[in-house]
Each structure stands twice: as C-alpha cells, then as structure tokens.
Amino acid sequence: MFEPAYKTLPPVDYVSMIRSLYADRRSQVLGAYGSAVAVALTWFESGSLVLLGIAIAFVVVGFLRNHDMEQFDRVQLADDDVEGAAHWEFRATVGSGAIAALYGSWTLYSFLVVNTTFAELASLGVSMSILVGVAARNFAVERVMMVQVMLVCIPAWVGMLLDGHFYTALLSFVFLPYFASLRRVAGNIRAILLRAVHGRIEATRLASELDTALETMQHGLCMLDENGLIAVANDRAELVFSSFMTGDWSGRPFAAMITAAAQRGTIPPRSATHLLDTVNAGSGGKVVLKLADGQFCEVTVSSRLDKTVLLFEDITERVKAEERINYMAHYDTLTGLPNRAYFTEQVEADLERRRRSKRNKADDMAMLLIVDIDDFKHVNDTMGHLIGDRVLIETSERLTRVLGKDSLVARLGGDEYVVYRSGGVQVADTVADPESILAGFQGPFEVEGEVFWVNVSIGVVTITDGADDLDGLMTKADLALYKAKALGKGRSQVFHDEMDTDYRYRQRLKAELKQTVADGGLSLVFQPIVDLKTRRVVSCEALARWHHPELGSIPPSLFIPIAEETGLISEISRWVLATATAECRNWPEDVSVSVNISARDFRNADVAGMVKNALASSGLAPHRLEIEVTETAVIEERDAATKILARLAKQGIGIALDDFGTGYSSLSYLQALPFSKLKIDRSFVMDIAANPRSLKLLSNVAQLGKDINLTVTAEGVETEDQLNLIAEHTRVDQIQGYFFGVPLPRREVAELIARMDVRPAPRRVVAVGAANRKRG
C-alpha cells in the first residue's frame, strides 16, 4: 500500500527520517503510561476486567518501546546506512502499531461492550488526542504513521457506528474527514522536515567546504564586519597578523590593531595609512606591506555592502625575483657595476637635462671616459678565464675606489669600462681623474697565487653643450682611446679638434656607406684557395671592396666595422651571398665558394633564409657553398649560431672556422659546432721559415684538425719557403695567400682557375667569406 521510505528517499534523507521516529522518547513513555491510567479509571467505573488487561498492556508496550528507543540512542547510525535504518524502521512500525492497536481496541470495546458515557468519552477523547501526537511524531515515515492512524481510527469509527445511537453513528461520519486530514498534515510536516534536513546538510556542506577552503588556501583571508571588527580569519591570516603584533586578533578592531602595529614599527606608517585608507574607501584595491622581518605581503581589499574582505598574499619570493630581474637588467652580474643599458639610460637623462638647462654651458661641464684594459686577451690566453674574470672584478673595484661616488662607473662589456661625471667638473679634472685611474693601477694584481701587472688606456671627451648625443660622445672617446693605445698604451688621451677630423670622416663614411650599399656600389673580389697536393684551385674566398669616387679605396678593416655598427652588415652579407653563388656557377664543378657571416648576421638577420634564397636564385648546389664564421661571432651569438649552422650543415653546406687560434676557446667550439673545415690564422704561418717552434706549432694545429676529420687550410702563405715547409712538415690540405694570388675580380679569378686546372683533381668544398676584414 505504501512504498518503503528507503526506496523513495535519498539515503541521507531516509536516515534523518528514521532518527526523527526515535527523537522524543520521554513524551512516548508519558503518553503510554498516561493512557494506562485513563484505561484504569474506566475499569474502576465499569469493573470490566478486559479494560484492566488493556491498561496493563499499555504499561508493558510503553516500557518495551522505551527500551527500544534507548537501544537506538546507543547505536551510531551513519548518514548513508540505509540497511540499518530499515531495520529500525521495522522495529518502530511494530512498536507504534502495538500501541495504536491498544487505543483502537480500547475505543471499540468501550462503545460496543461497556457502553457507558464515561468509558466512551474517555476512550474517544484520549484516542483522538493521541492521533495529533502520531501526526506530529511519526510524520517522517508515512507507513508508520498510517499504520497507527488506521489501527486507531478504524476501530473507533466501527465502535461509534455500531454503538446503537443514531447521533453517535452520525458523529462517526463527521470524524472521517479528520482522520483523512491527518495524512495531509503529516505530509506537510514531513516536507518541512525534509527542507530543514536539506538546508542543514547544505549548510553543513558549505560550512565544511568554506572551512576547508580557508584552511587550505595559500593566502591569508580576513573578513571585517560592519563595525570594522575582525569577524573571520584563517590560520594564514593569523600568521600574518602575528608578524604585525602578537595576540588574538579575532573580534578586535582592525584599524586599531594596524595603527598600533605601525606605532611599534612592525609595519611602515605610510603603508599602514594607505591600507586603512583603502579599507575605509570601500572601493577596493591592493597595498604592499614590507614587514619587519624582511617579508613582503600584498593585501587585496574587497568591499561589499557593509562587509570587507582582506586577502593577504606572501609575495616575498616574487619581490625578490623582481629585484633580481631588475638588478640583472641594470647591472653587470660579474662586477656589480651598471651595465651598458642602465648607463645609457642614466647618461641620456642627464644629457637631456643639460639641453634644457639655462645655465652657462661653460660652467656646467661634463666628462666621459672610456677605460680599456691593455692586452687583456693575453691574460685570458695565458692564465685562463677564471683569472681573467678576477681581473675584471678587481678593475671595477679600483675604478670605483679611485673615482668615488661623484662618478657613474659602468662596464660596457669585455674589458671595456666607461665613466661619466656631470656637475662640478673643471678642466683640470680631465687630467686629474685619468691620472688618478692610472695611478690606481700601479700596484700589481694578485690572483690565485699569480702576481702580475695590468695597465689601462683611457679616452676622454668633455661635454660643454647638449648638441652631442651619447653615441657621438662614445665615438669621440673611442677615437681618443685609440690614439692613447697608438701612443704606447698605459696612458690617457683627451679628445681634441684634430681627432674631430677622424670622427667626421667616420661619420661621413657611415652616411655614404648606407647609400653605397643601397646603390649597389660595392664590388666583389675572390682570393683562390689551392689544394696543396695538386696545386689546383679548389675554392675561392669572396671579399667585399668599396671604392669611393672621392676618397679612393676604403679598406675593409674600416668600412666593415662601420657596417656592423650601423646594421648594414646583413645587407652586405645578403648581397655577397647572392653575387658569389651566382659567380661560382661559372667555375668548374669541383671549385666552390663561401661567405663569411658576422655576429650581427646571427643576431639580426635570417641567415638560413639568406642562404636558401642565394642558392635558389643562383642554382648552385649546396655542397659548393661554405659558410665561414669567426670565433668571435660564435662566442657572441652562440645559441643562434649553433642552431643555424647545424641546420645549414644538414643541407650539405660546409662550415669553416676562420682565423683559428686567435679566439679564446677554439677547442670547445670545434667540439660543439658542425665544422667541416679549419682555417689556421696567418699568425701561425708568418714565422715558420725563421722559427722552428712556429713550424712545430703549425704542424700540431694541423694535426689537431685532421684528427677530428676536418679539412685544414693555412692562411697567409706568401713565400715559396713557407709553402715547402708546410708541404713537408704538416698535414695541411689547402693553401690561401699571396703566393698563389691576391684577391682578383671575377674575370681574372676565372682565368686563374683555368690556368691552374692542369689535371683532374678531387672536388673540394670552398668557402667564400662575405664582407670580412681580411687584408688584400
């Protein structure tokens, strides 16, 4: 007739309903014993032993139900224990059914047998009143309630109907709607209970989730009520508060606590004021607090209605990381001095101030010095990089110690430093400051047990107006430095008007080189590379040339650095690649060509794209092209160079290490990069006819190249003696130098290749250096 409750309700709801059946043990016992007394009174009035038996039955059933409820109280029924709840539902049904059957029997017997007014009134009144309790107590489980209602109401209705009095029978029908309404009343109460149970469960869940969120979140959270009191604070927030001021913050005024902490010095007063202003404004915001223990905390303030939530985030690591990044962006990591970028920023700001200043420029002199360590490469080559780094560090310390706080000292890179001084500079300082620096380097350096002396050269330029930009000043100081080194090093030189001629000449070349490149005014020459055994040309190196219509021939050692400085080098490299590969198509198949790529090309240009376009437009096979790189280019742009050269090598393009022996760590780069050729610098060759040690060194270097399967080329061969010694005592494969030919235009080099092509020879890969600085 009725579905079991556990089949229609969720487990949690069902268990809650069963618990409600056993919730009011005291009223159940009192009801049973009170009913027994009422039955006993009717027994006294009528003398019926049946009524006495019913009274005793009430006492017994009441006692058993009380005992059953006590047992339930001792059981820990889980929220999802449906099986256990069903067991207790059955016991509740039996117990409530038994007590209801006694009420029904009492009423039926009173109307049909006793038939006295007192017995009928007592039985009907008590039974009807007990139905209210049934609906109120057993509403949760409809089956239990309806069993009780039917066991009470049906006997009562039958007794009234068969009482024999017309009006009593009529009254029995009046009670039927009351009996029916009990089910609806119980259903309404049950719905209310279920809503309450669901609300409690949801509230418990939300409270549990909130507690979990508060205690597991990585940030501190604090809520202020409408009076500014701390209403809620998780453990992390309390930990933050403890760094402000010890004690329990809960329930205390937030503003007073922050003010007290500021007075004690655990929070900076300015930050405390900012935080309180943000809280009072009610619009939200962020405040960073520096705590007394060196930690940093970011407070996010959010307000809604009359409540304020504060989120405390420990940002110490983030602040330290930002400080490290900021430091690395502005300072040299080795020496701790400002780097080029930060120096540029500071000086350009001062130069701008000078341009806007209305002071007499002659009275507001500034000074810029470039300090360069003489022969620092020798220190690195002979003592190693670790000692070299210590020299750079001590140099920075000596400069800072000598110049004091009035000067901005920075490291430009490598072994070059720059000094800027503005305000209070006198003409005499242009002599006194450099002399102080030179005097500071009179003492020896003592590093890792080594004792040696280091000298510096200094270029000085003064600023009396705001016309010059920093690049111009650096160029003038460089010219002065170059002059100081040319005069013997270990001295200083102030930029003067005669140097300005060189400066303006250089500036003119900068402007006109750009136009020359745009107009295609450069030319290309080729220097042959000869196979030592066959004496045939196996490759040619391409070299850029600039013939100025007014100034004559401009040496590559002058215009190539200008091209690198102005960013034109990549345009020149692109042109040399295209021109050289196209010309190589006119040579025999076993003669090849290559292009020298600079560090600027790896940094700013798409080298792989340049090579691909040159090969595509010329139709030259990839194995007939070789790319030459100097060790300086690899050092300056190692990551980019490594990726690009590896990509080119996979295409069959040769990779040559040029000027080997002049860099800092040639052996490591031979191991790391995909070189196919080793070109030994001319410095190894020039002395071999007069110095047996030089010949031995050249032989060992060539052997090194052969041991790692590289083609070895000796550069700078100019005499027959050198050629013969190389042939007899070394494993050099190829020769390049004036002995076989100076760099020639394309027609003359083609004729030379044809003249020397006397017999077949194995094909060799040859490199053509684009815009390089080689003489000739």
Side-chain angles (χ1 to χ4, degrees):
M1 183 175 180
F2 301 105
E3 283 289 333
Y6 65 84
K7 293 185 178 181
T8 59
L9 294 174
V12 174
D13 293 354
Y14 174 59
V15 173
S16 298
M17 298 296 100
I18 300 306
R19 287 187 182 128
S20 70
L21 296 178
Y22 292 86
D24 193 6
R25 180 163 54 87
R26 185 176 181 180
S27 64
Q28 184 278 137
V29 173
L30 292 176
Y33 292 167
S35 299
V37 172
V39 177
L41 290 176
T42 60
W43 166 62
F44 282 123
E45 189 263 344
S46 64
S48 173
L49 292 177
V50 174
L51 292 178
L52 178 59
I54 293 175
I56 294 172
F58 267 112
V59 173
V60 173
V61 173
F63 174 79
L64 293 175
R65 292 194 70 194
N66 180 65
H67 177 70
D68 188 54
M69 288 184 169
E70 286 178 342
Q71 286 186 311
F72 180 84
D73 289 343
R74 287 192 291 269
V75 174
Q76 298 296 326
L77 195 62
D79 288 341
D80 58 351
D81 187 2
V82 174
E83 184 177 350
H87 168 74
W88 287 103
E89 179 190 0
F90 173 76
R91 294 176 65 161
T93 303
V94 172
S96 60
I99 198 77
L102 291 177
Y103 285 111
S105 301
W106 180 27
T107 307
L108 180 63
Y109 185 77
S110 296
F111 274 92
L112 295 183
V113 178
V114 179
N115 206 16
T116 66
T117 302
F118 175 72
E120 292 175 352
L121 181 61
S123 62
L124 184 62
V126 172
S127 296
M128 292 303 102
S129 65
I130 207 67
L131 286 177
V132 177
V134 168
R137 185 168 56 248
N138 298 334
F139 65 90
V141 181
E142 185 180 22
R143 182 167 61 174
V144 174
M145 187 208 70
M146 291 308 297
V147 166
Q148 286 189 287
V149 169
M150 288 187 292
L151 289 176
V152 173
C153 293
I154 292 175
W157 179 74
V158 171
M160 293 176 66
L161 182 64
L162 302 178
D163 177 65
H165 297 86
F166 173 75
Y167 288 104
T168 301
L170 186 61
L171 183 61
S172 68
F173 288 98
V174 174
F175 276 104
L176 288 178
Y178 169 69
F179 298 154
S181 67
L182 290 176
R183 183 177 184 182
R184 176 171 294 182
V185 170
N188 291 337
I189 298 175
R190 184 166 54 254
I192 294 173
L193 176 61
L194 285 174
R195 285 196 295 270
V197 169
H198 291 163
R200 176 183 60 79
I201 294 172
E202 182 65 15
T204 301
R205 184 186 67 80
L206 291 176
S208 176
E209 290 178 354
L210 179 60
D211 287 342
T212 301
L214 288 176
E215 297 310 319
T216 59
M217 68 186 306
Q218 296 298 312
H219 307 320
L221 185 140
C222 168
M223 178 180 289
L224 309 182
D225 64 14
E226 63 276 7
N227 298 317
L229 302 180
I230 299 176
V232 177
N234 66 358
D235 290 344
R236 289 188 177 270
E238 292 176 355
L239 185 62
V240 174
F241 294 156
S242 67
S243 64
F244 298 165
M245 190 164 60
T246 57
D248 184 10
W249 285 55
S250 180
R252 302 176 69 180
F254 180 76
M257 302 291 285
I258 293 297
T259 302
Q263 292 173 350
R264 294 182 57 179
T266 53
I267 305 177
R270 186 173 182 179
S271 298
T273 302
H274 187 194
L275 175 59
L276 293 178
D277 289 344
T278 304
V279 171
N280 294 332
S283 56
K286 294 180 181 290
V287 180
V288 175
L289 302 178
K290 182 177 182 180
L291 308 182
D293 57 0
Q295 302 294 99
F296 289 87
C297 179
E298 183 179 70
V299 186
T300 302
V301 181
S302 303
S303 298
R304 184 176 182 182
L305 300 178
D306 56 354
K307 300 291 191 302
T308 301
V309 175
L310 297 95
L311 191 66
F312 298 87
E313 179 181 1
D314 184 354
I315 60 169
T316 304
E317 291 303 318
R318 189 176 80 192
V319 170
K320 290 181 178 179
E322 290 173 352
E323 289 176 347
R324 286 194 297 270
I325 293 172
N326 183 66
Y327 180 86
M328 293 172 64
H330 291 87
Y331 293 90
D332 175 55
T333 55
L334 178 64
T335 64
L337 293 178
N339 59 17
R340 179 188 292 269
Y342 188 43
F343 176 82
T344 300
E345 178 185 328
Q346 297 288 93
V347 174
E348 287 184 342
D350 187 72
L351 292 176
E352 181 62 26
R353 177 195 63 77
R354 294 174 59 83
R355 293 187 191 100
R356 297 179 179 179
S357 174
K358 297 181 180 180
R359 293 181 58 186
N360 187 331
K361 304 300 182 182
D363 297 334
D364 189 22
M365 182 183 293
M367 177 172 59
L368 185 143
L369 302 83
I370 291 182
V371 182
D372 186 82
I373 300 176
D374 294 331
D375 301 317
F376 180 70
K377 178 180 178 297
H378 178 71
V379 175
N380 263 338
D381 289 347
T382 58
M383 300 184 182
H385 285 284
L386 292 179
I387 291 181
D389 287 347
R390 289 299 309 165
V391 169
L392 294 174
I393 294 171
E394 187 167 339
T395 297
S396 67
E397 293 172 351
R398 293 191 183 195
L399 287 174
T400 304
R401 186 166 55 247
V402 168
L403 296 172
K405 298 181 179 179
D406 295 333
S407 301
L408 176 62
V409 183
R411 182 186 177 208
L412 293 182
D415 60 341
E416 196 170 58
Y417 297 80
V418 63
V419 180
Y420 181 76
R421 181 177 166 190
S422 177
V425 178
Q426 303 297 322
V427 175
D429 294 329
T430 63
V431 177
D433 281 4
E435 288 183 349
S436 297
I437 293 173
L438 294 173
F441 284 83
Q442 292 299 312
F445 282 64
E446 298 183 16
V447 181
E448 301 291 337
E450 299 284 346
V451 179
F452 52 92
W453 278 259
V454 172
N455 294 321
V456 295
S457 297
I458 307 169
V460 185
V461 62
T462 58
I463 306 105
T464 56
D465 56 40
D468 282 320
D469 58 12
L470 180 57
D471 287 342
L473 294 172
M474 293 288 289
T475 300
K476 291 181 178 180
D478 265 331
L479 291 172
L481 175 65
Y482 179 78
K483 184 68 174 179
K485 286 184 174 291
L487 293 175
K489 301 180 181 179
R491 63 180 64 205
S492 66
Q493 176 67 53
V494 180
F495 180 84
H496 51 72
D497 291 341
E498 287 79 7
M499 295 179 189
D500 192 52
T501 302
D502 295 335
Y503 170 70
R504 295 183 184 279
Y505 176 71
R506 186 179 178 86
Q507 293 300 101
R508 177 182 178 182
L509 292 183
K510 282 185 181 181
E512 296 191 6
L513 178 60
K514 183 175 183 180
Q515 189 62 46
T516 299
V517 172
D519 295 341
L522 296 180
S523 61
L524 202 62
V525 295
F526 302 89
Q527 186 171 33
I529 300 175
V530 177
D531 183 271
L532 184 58
K533 293 180 179 179
T534 65
R535 305 299 169 95
R536 296 175 58 254
V537 176
V538 292
S539 65
C540 292
E541 180 176 6
L543 304 166
R545 293 292 184 262
W546 181 17
H547 187 82
H548 193 282
E550 298 178 9
L551 303 176
S553 179
I554 310 297
S557 60
L558 180 57
F559 78 81
I560 291 301
I562 291 176
E564 291 181 329
E565 181 182 336
T566 57
L568 291 171
I569 189 64
S570 295
E571 293 185 42
I572 296 176
S573 296
R574 186 178 291 105
W575 169 76
V576 173
L577 267 169
T579 306
T581 52
E583 185 61 29
C584 186
R585 285 276 293 172
N586 301 320
W587 302 340
E589 287 292 326
D590 56 351
V591 180
S592 304
V593 73
S594 72
V595 174
N596 192 307
I597 300 299
S598 75
R600 285 291 187 118
D601 291 326
F602 287 118
R603 186 183 314 161
N604 300 325
D606 178 12
V607 174
M610 291 165 50
V611 171
K612 179 181 178 181
N613 292 337
L615 293 176
S617 61
S618 65
L620 186 69
H623 69 267
R624 296 186 65 191
L625 173 65
E626 190 169 69
I627 299 299
E628 289 189 13
V629 294
T630 63
E631 197 167 356
T632 301
V634 175
I635 291 172
E636 292 182 5
E637 300 296 331
R638 177 165 185 171
D639 292 341
T642 301
K643 293 178 182 178
I644 293 172
L645 295 180
R647 180 177 174 184
L648 296 178
K650 288 182 179 179
Q651 300 174 31
I653 297 170
I655 309 296
L657 179 60
D658 196 15
D659 298 334
F660 179 77
T662 61
Y664 299 129
S665 54
S666 301
L667 297 181
S668 66
Y669 290 107
L670 284 177
Q671 174 71 20
L673 295 170
F675 292 114
S676 57
K677 178 183 285 188
L678 185 67
K679 300 190 73 174
I680 303 175
D681 186 70
R682 67 181 64 247
S683 61
F684 286 82
V685 175
M686 64 175 61
D687 199 21
I688 61 173
N691 190 342
R693 294 185 64 184
S694 297
L695 179 60
K696 186 66 174 178
L697 179 61
L698 175 62
S699 176
N700 289 336
V701 172
Q703 183 63 48
L704 172 66
K706 298 305 295 181
D707 287 343
I708 54 177
N709 298 319
L710 299 182
T711 300
V712 179
T713 300
E715 300 180 292
V717 178
E718 300 181 354
T719 68
E720 187 171 0
D721 287 344
Q722 291 174 338
L723 180 65
N724 292 334
L725 287 170
I726 292 173
E728 294 175 8
H729 299 285
T730 74
R731 296 189 61 191
V732 169
D733 299 299
Q734 299 173 357
I735 301 297
Q736 180 177 356
Y738 284 0
F739 181 77
F740 284 106
V742 298
L744 299 171
R746 62 184 184 88
R747 178 176 299 176
E748 284 83 349
V749 80
E751 293 174 356
L752 177 63
I753 293 171
R755 286 198 306 271
M756 298 184 68
D757 188 15
V758 295
R759 58 190 176 86
R763 180 178 55 80
R764 302 278 184 171
V765 179
V766 179
V768 178
N772 63 36
R773 311 180 193 183
K774 295 186 178 182
R775 72 187 178 97

